[in-house]
Amino acid sequence: MANARVGIAEAAVVRNPDSVTTLGLGSCIGVAMFDSVNRIGGLVHVMLPSSSLSKTKDFNAGKFADTGVPLLLDMMLKAGASKARIVAKIAGGAQMFAIGGGGDSVLRIGPQNTDACKAALKKLGIPLIAEETGGNHGRTVELFCDSGEYEIRAIGKEKKRI
Amino acid sequence: MSNGMPRLDAMHLDVLREVGNIGAGNAASALSGLLGTRVDMKVTRVMSMPFNEIVDFAGGAETPVATVYTRFDGSIAGNILFVIGIDQAMALIRHVTGAVEDDGISEMGFSVLQETGNIVIGSCMTAMSDFLGFELLPSVPTLAVDMAGAILSFSLSEIGRSADEAIMIDAGITPEGASLSGGSGRLFLLPDPESFGRMFAALGVRIDG
């Protein structure tokens, strides 16, 4: 079993028996997609809610929820997944620092990312079947393509599979 | 690829290094006053790095760190972070309180880390503000103890609007003494891409692009 790793604003698609992981999600979101028949799974590490926030015309599609989620779906379909079977799970979207630190819009980026990923999935008609979002702690996530389970690890917390 | 970062030559990097030295030097002497020990400052480095390399540079995405974070606005804007490894954070708490933190970090321990970060960041901001002749408006510093990747990626999100890389000014701030051995505290300064032009203009340095 191989393990693919995606960094910030990156996406990857793998198939059974491999897994795909991203480390240290804070306010970012790891959006995982899975087709349980072909056992194809994908993960994108989204950093910001909307490409309308981009100050440049060219940007990395994986960076924003509204472009990163469609990018991952596209990669899944190209790899042979069936859109009718693809389901999604998301994790991350924490608020790493307590409010009161000023610049509240920046500090609330985690919850905004969560909402934006959900909206992007809904727009594409991909059902969101599980999530582990919010809170104020970092998360490492891994999607296993043998089972479609999405594992979440955090410092000082029990490992969790959704 | 996005290209919102200014292009910097060797002279620009020298100027930024000097800004970093002035800020970090003042931070180190303030910390020395707080701890009553010598505090070493390592020469400041200025690097332009993709986000994922910044996370690796800070010790790896999953490495637990204590970080005090401040966002500053005003004539120039950006993020500043004081990051120390968890072992060094424990040693720092022990040095200040005399108590051993064996069952996680106590409330008192969090206060020590918060206060240390406040002093480091506050004194760095003051020195930079004097040097640049700008009023900088820092937010109230906040503390988090968690994975380095989770903390850094959050602090890069504003820069992410313009680029996939950040220009980082990095200084090592290490309190000396046996009680504080192991690892170095780091002061990361991450100006927003739009702020470089103003910073250089204030210092009489030209920048193109």
Side-chain angles (χ1 to χ4, degrees):
Chain A
M1 182 188 103
N3 177 307
R5 183 177 293 185
V6 299
I8 298 165
E10 293 172 354
V13 170
V14 298
R15 45 187 83 232
N16 185 40
D18 296 348
S19 69
V20 57
T21 186
T22 192
L23 310 180
L25 288 167
S27 52
C28 300
I29 307 268
V31 180
M33 290 185 189
F34 187 65
D35 173 341
S36 61
V37 172
N38 293 339
R39 301 207 190 182
I40 294 170
L43 184 62
V44 61
H45 182 141
V46 165
M47 190 182 202
L48 289 160
S50 167
S51 56
S52 66
L53 291 168
S54 179
K55 294 178 184 170
T56 53
K57 251 193 291 173
D58 296 329
F59 55 81
N60 187 345
K63 191 155 59 179
F64 302 98
D66 65 334
T67 50
V69 173
L71 168 78
L72 181 63
L73 176 61
D74 206 42
M75 289 169 70
M76 290 285 291
L77 298 177
K78 278 190 182 129
S82 149
K83 191 182 173 196
R85 286 194 300 260
I86 294 175
V87 292
K89 298 178 181 181
I90 64 172
Q95 187 174 303
M96 295 308 297
F97 293 94
I99 293 234
D104 284 6
S105 64
V106 177
L107 288 169
R108 277 191 37 79
I109 200 85
Q112 286 176 27
N113 280 339
T114 305
D115 292 346
C117 286
K118 288 180 181 175
L121 288 166
K122 195 170 180 189
K123 196 170 165 197
L124 296 169
I126 303 295
L128 174 68
I129 60 166
E131 66 174 297
E132 159 66 26
T133 54
N136 58 2
H137 61 276
R139 297 170 171 95
T140 283
V141 296
E142 184 167 2
L143 175 70
F144 293 94
C145 289
D146 55 351
S147 62
E149 283 184 307
Y150 197 30
E151 182 171 286
I152 293 116
R153 301 189 288 271
I155 291 175
K157 289 187 165 40
E158 291 276 316
K159 203 186 280 183
K160 194 168 167 183
R161 284 192 171 202
I162 60 172
Chain B
M1 294 299 287
S2 35
N3 190 19
M5 271 292 166
R7 222 165 278 165
L8 304 180
D9 62 23
M11 184 184 63
H12 293 124
L13 296 180
D14 277 345
V15 168
L16 292 177
R17 199 172 298 123
E18 190 54 23
V19 172
N21 279 336
I22 283 165
N26 201 41
S29 58
L31 187 59
S32 175
L34 172 78
L35 299 176
T37 56
R38 236 186 86 182
V39 172
D40 270 357
M41 196 201 95
K42 278 207 200 98
V43 179
T44 305
R45 282 179 289 187
V46 179
M47 291 162 288
S48 177
M49 271 190 187
F51 293 159
N52 289 304
E53 284 178 30
I54 290 178
V55 172
D56 289 340
F57 179 80
E62 293 188 287
T63 307
V65 294
T67 299
V68 178
Y69 159 87
T70 294
R71 168 103 192 135
F72 59 92
D73 283 299
S75 305
I76 59 168
N79 293 332
I80 180 165
L81 300 98
F82 180 61
V83 182
I84 57 175
I86 207 73
D87 290 345
Q88 208 201 4
M90 293 298 196
L92 180 67
I93 295 167
R94 194 159 57 240
H95 175 82
V96 173
T97 66
V100 178
E101 306 262 319
D102 46 12
D103 191 27
I105 300 173
S106 66
E107 203 167 313
M108 176 67 89
F110 281 114
S111 301
V112 168
L113 297 176
Q114 175 76 62
E115 191 53 32
T116 304
N118 292 356
I119 283 169
V120 167
I121 288 174
S123 43
C124 176
M125 291 270 91
T126 305
M128 278 178 44
S129 169
D130 288 349
F131 181 61
L132 294 168
F134 285 148
E135 194 185 1
L136 301 177
L137 308 168
S139 63
V140 179
T142 57
L143 169 72
V145 179
D146 213 305
M147 299 177 186
I151 288 171
L152 280 165
S153 58
F154 162 76
S155 63
L156 293 168
S157 50
E158 177 63 30
I159 297 172
R161 295 178 61 187
S162 335
D164 295 310
E165 57 179 34
I167 294 167
M168 179 170 68
I169 303 169
D170 159 55
I173 293 182
T174 311
E176 265 200 352
S179 60
L180 283 171
S181 63
S184 151
R186 312 216 69 91
L187 190 59
F188 291 140
L189 183 62
L190 296 159
D192 290 354
E194 301 76 19
S195 290
F196 286 96
R198 259 169 266 160
M199 219 178 336
F200 289 123
L203 298 169
V205 180
R206 284 190 51 152
I207 182 164
D208 303 315

